[in-house]
Structure formats: structure tokens, C-alpha cells
Amino acid sequence: MKKIMNKPQDSVTQLLNGIAFAHDDCLKRIPQTGIMLSQHIEPNKVAVISGGGTGHEPAHSGYVGKNMLAASINGPIFTPPEATEIFEAIKQADQGNGVFMIVKNFEADVANFLAASALAKANGHQVAHVIVNDDCSIEKSNFKKRRRGVAGTVFVHKIVGAAAANGLDLASLTSLATEVVASMNTLGVALAPGTVPGSSVPQFSLDVSDISFGIGIHGEAGYRTEPLESSEKLANELVNKLKIHYRCYPGMKMAIMVNGLGSTPLLELYVFANDVRRLLALEEIEVSFKKVGNFMTSTNMSGVSLTFLELKEPSWLAYLKEPVLTYAW
Amino acid sequence: MKKIMNKPQDSVTQLLNGIAFAHDDCLKRIPQTGIMLSQHIEPNKVAVISGGGTGHEPAHSGYVGKNMLAASINGPIFTPPEATEIFEAIKQADQGNGVFMIVKNFEADVANFLAASALAKANGHQVAHVIVNDDCSIEKSNFKKRRRGVAGTVFVHKIVGAAAANGLDLASLTSLATEVVASMNTLGVALAPGTVPGSSVPQFSLDVSDISFGIGIHGEAGYRTEPLESSEKLANELVNKLKIHYRCYPGMKMAIMVNGLGSTPLLELYVFANDVRRLLALEEIEVSFKKVGNFMTSTNMSGVSLTFLELKEPSWLAYLKEPVLTYAW
């Protein structure tokens, strides 16, 4: 697998140095760590932080900056950062009003972030968190809901980041984030697996004409494979699967995200977005906010995910629209 | 070749509708045309327009909006729009202060844009243009310089768009754009060819371990293939080839763009950007401005291009930094 890299084991450090170089208007790297700290941390506000393994670029550093995240903590490829490093980020980001952590629902991520929270609390910091579990795919074997944290996490970054910038306190942010997460669902489809740096083996196998529904952002295999027929049929399948989770009605307000998984060109993402638009218009659902692009990827996986967020409060839309200075929102 | 699309012949229309849906805060589509018009055209200013074939997303629509392009005109995949459509865009964009066209140096693009200019002038519009020829690759057969218009075109959009927003007239914009183009060089490298919608054949063949230097943004083959050894060596080769075109000196101010060609993950672009950073630091060249991402792609080609722009005037940097409302800058 041809990749633009040097020694695979140096990829993360070189990635972080490249990001810090390219985006010094938004963030800075804390040397020798995976911590990216905003250049615009505001006093008297709750600091919102997030993180996880790398390999999901532009997540999470792309959302560090004015009015969004105060810091991201970036671990090895597909491996969450250590609790001690998350604790260090809490110390650096906390302005005395506490720290709010946005954590993707994967076992190791949750364990490390909660351990860091315990460490920080023991050292006098106020810390709260939300666990994002927007993935509505199922296990192939037992149909159990997976509820991993995937692309919708970026909507949580945006809404909670803007709310914190508007002065909400830790308790209010916790309540807001919990409601947003409960209103959000994502489903992803792979057209081709990714390959992590240093490996020559794709993360799963997929027939050349097939797609896989319900893949995870770490290359976890999906729950069903079938041939790719058209963007329309794919949109139909995803919209229907997501709609199950809502009581849809004419005039319902929705935010949607069409997220590329790493190597799918924008041309395809926009064709797909256009099909989603048509399907939601048929139901008279009002798409008040939309994002189309690469927001939470899985190295060079080819594919797309679709996220629905029901906008239950007008303030959520205002938070989504609030201007930011970050490199990827 | 698996692609998220419907009938290939409908791809461009569906792409444009998807873009218009997703980015109605920046632009709107003129129905039945390939014209995307800014939602923020300012009176009493020169309207800056650009365009070309589609397949280069987010170029050019991604740069339509406040303080950048007043319109983009988008033809079929890799085929420039007709002169009549460009003329229509001139009519729609012109606020009475003339229209400035940014044209990529390909024979058909230049012919169609100049024919549109002639039509517009005959109808009372003031029109001026620049032909962008930043590509410094060479023909394999005769070593002739190709000087096609590639990723650096986006720097021209940004600088000229900001200058127009600052009130520069047509003559001043022509002089500015000409100087910027003369100070800019780009070289691209493919890791794997792209495939256009509706085709099952990659645009050129490339050995699984090889890369191709000097490829074009329409899948034109490069002038040399060799194995990909490392990001460092690739950066070294490109930086050295670009440096030839400048009298480099310590303290020289440069803007650089690391541009993904369609399906290369950000992880690799940032690792490469970090290597470019190190090489320029060794020469004490001051990188005053940098962009890393996908700005001018070639469907799903895998690879990267590097652009150098010597910042000969402080105003060029100010124009690059001026805030915009577009979806891809």
C-alpha cells in the first residue's frame, strides 16, 4: 500500500507537527505530547476538550480553535491517548471554570477519559463529560445496537463549543450535550477498506462491487454487504434506517452531515447529498443545517456516513451557525 | 470502479445541485446552467469569476462567496464551459465595474473564456483576465515546459478576490494577477490514477509501487515514474524542482500550498507538509502563509501537488489572510 509517509512509527508525531505548522493561527502543539491547544482559550469560560486515536483527520484537531474546542488529545493511530496525557490537557485548558470532555463511545476511550477525569477531580479541577454514541448500526451476529461514537461527534463539538463560548456553565453544558447526543444518529457505509500506516493489509475484505453497511471508523466490519447500485438507492437505505429513530413530521427541523470516510471524492459526496436532499424534501423535513465534506475519517477508507440531528431547540441551530476559527469546521 | 453516483451523464447536474443545497449561505446555482453565483456580490466592485471543467472539486465553486469569486462556471467533467455560458455569468456578475476572469492555461479553457470576453465586450461589458500557468512540469518527449494552470489558481482566486473586494479596478487587478502568476510554481505527483464517472478504466497506468511526477489535473500522465521511497524524499524532490524558479535567500517570504489530488488522506498531506516545512526552514525561507488540504483535485486521483508563491508584496499576504465566506478556502 503506497502512502506518503516516512517510518510508520513516526507518522503521528509528523502528522501533529504538520498540523501545528499549517494551522498556527488556530492551535499549537504542546511539545512531546499529543495535545493540541487552542490559540484562543478564553478566560472565564468552560474549556471544552475532546480527542481519541489519530487516523480520523481532520478530527479532532480540526475543531480546536476559537468558539469550539480548547484542546484535542491525540493518541496513536486508532488508539486513544493515555489518561495522564488527557489529565495534562485538562490542566492546560482549565481557566478555573472547569473542563467539559466530549468522548466517543469506545471502551478504551471511555476508560481513559474517565480515569483522567478522576485524576483531575482529585487535583481540584471541575470536570464533566458526555459520551457520544450516535452510531445506530447493529452487530451482525446478534443485532445488538453498537452505539459507537462516530461522525456526529463533530456536531457535539460545534454545539457545545459555541455554548461554552456563550458562557454556559458545566451543568448546563452537560444537560445540553446529553440532549443533543440523544437526538442524533449516524450510519456509515464503506466502498473499500482503509489500510493503516505501516500495514500492507486492508482492514477488512470487501468484494470489488460490494459495499458494507455499518462499518466503524476504526475499520470495524459492517453488518451487511451488498452490491452498490446507485447513490439514490444508497441514500434511500440510509435515510430510511436513520428515520426509524425519529417521529418525523412535516416541518421537522434537522441538521445533517454527509461525511466522507477518507478517500471518497467530494464529487460523490455532493451527488449523494443531493439524493438525501430530495428524500427529505419528499417528507417535508426542513434541513436547517447541513455539512458535506470530510469531518471524521478512517485513514484512507472509501465511503460515506450520514448523520441526522433533530434540532429540538432553536439555540442548537444558533450554536451550529456561530462563526469559529478552526481549520476543519 | 465503484462510485457513489447515479447515471454518469447526470453526475454534473447532481453535483451542482448538491453543492447549491449544502452551501446556500455562500452561493446559488443559476438553474439549467453550470453557473454558481455568489450570494454576496458587492455593488461598485469588480466581479472576479473563474471556472472550468468539473472533477476538480472543491474548485471552483468552493471559492465562490464573500471576498472571493463572484461566480464560477462549471462545465462537464474535465471539459470547460461553453463561451455562451461564460458570457451569461459575466452578465449576471457584472455590477457595472467590469469583470475579471481567472483562466487556467489549457487550450480549450483559454479559447472559451476569451470568446466569452469578446462577446461580453461587444455587449458593453468591461472584461479583463489572467491566464494562470503555475505548473512547472515538462513534456516527457521534448522537455518543453507545460505551464498548465493547476492548484496555484486557488491562490490567484484568493488574492485577486480580496483585492477586488478592497476596491481595486480592472487595470490594477490585471497587473496584480499577472505579477502573482509570474511568482508561482506548482508540481504534482500521482500515487494512483483517477477514474472519471462512467468509465471503468483508470486515466493512466502506474505500477503499484511507483509514483508519477508532473501529472496534470485531468489525468495527463507525468514525465517520470519511480518508486515511492518516503515522504521526505518526495518533499526533497519537489522542493528542489520548485526552488529552481526562484532566487532563494534567507528571510525570503513564501506562501505554500500542499494540495491533495482527490483521494489522499489528510494524514499523508500533513506528514508531507511537515517535511516541506523542515526543508524550507533549513534554507531560512519564511513560510508566511500555508494551506494544506484538498483545493484542486482530479476526481479520485491519489497524490499531492506543492505550490510555491513568492510573496513579493506585503499586500499579497494581507489579501491571502482576508476573511472570506466560501465553503472551501
Side-chain angles (χ1 to χ4, degrees), chain A residues 2-6 17 21 23-24 191 207-208 210 228 231-232 263 268 270 274-275 290 327, chain B residues 2-6 17 21 23-24 191 207-208 210 228 231-232 263 268 270 274-275 290 327:
Chain A
K2 249 179 307 191
K3 282 188 191 290
I4 303 173
M5 61 179 186
N6 300 302
N17 286 342
F21 162 65
H23 306 294
D24 52 4
L191 274 68
D207 188 88
V208 71
D210 278 356
L228 174 61
S231 170
E232 274 178 26
S263 68
E268 297 174 46
Y270 284 112
N274 184 53
D275 287 318
K290 47 254 167 176
Y327 74 84
Chain B
K2 249 178 306 190
K3 283 186 191 293
I4 302 174
M5 62 178 184
N6 301 302
N17 286 342
F21 162 65
H23 306 295
D24 53 4
L191 273 67
D207 189 89
V208 72
D210 278 356
L228 173 60
S231 171
E232 274 178 23
S263 68
E268 297 174 48
Y270 284 111
N274 184 53
D275 287 318
K290 48 252 166 175
Y327 75 82

Side-chain angles (χ1 to χ4, degrees), chain A residues 176-253:
Chain A
L176 168 67
T178 306
E179 284 180 64
V180 167
V181 168
S183 309
M184 195 166 63
N185 288 278
T186 298
L187 199 52
V189 174
L191 274 68
T195 309
V196 298
S199 166
S200 56
V201 185
Q203 289 202 283
F204 53 89
S205 63
L206 193 54
D207 188 88
V208 71
S209 63
D210 278 356
I211 58 175
S212 177
F213 286 94
I215 44 76
I217 55 171
H218 306 102
E220 302 92 339
Y223 58 83
R224 195 173 93 233
T225 61
E226 60 179 44
L228 174 61
E229 292 189 53
S230 70
S231 170
E232 274 178 26
K233 289 201 175 162
L234 182 59
N236 205 44
E237 169 79 16
L238 293 190
V239 167
N240 284 338
K241 280 277 193 306
L242 290 169
K243 262 172 47 190
I244 293 170
H245 300 275
Y246 301 92
R247 291 176 197 271
C248 296
Y249 57 90
M252 175 186 184
K253 287 183 172 38

Side-chain angles (χ1 to χ4, degrees), chain A residues 63-84:
Chain A
Y63 312 111
V64 174
K66 192 169 172 56
N67 288 346
M68 213 164 162
L69 299 183
S72 69
I73 311 100
N74 305 280
I77 302 274
F78 293 165
T79 305
E82 297 289 343
T84 48

Side-chain angles (χ1 to χ4, degrees), chain B residues 125-137:
Chain B
H125 296 272
Q126 296 179 71
V127 184
H129 71 273
V130 71
I131 294 173
V132 183
N133 65 352
D134 54 316
D135 171 30
C136 62
S137 74

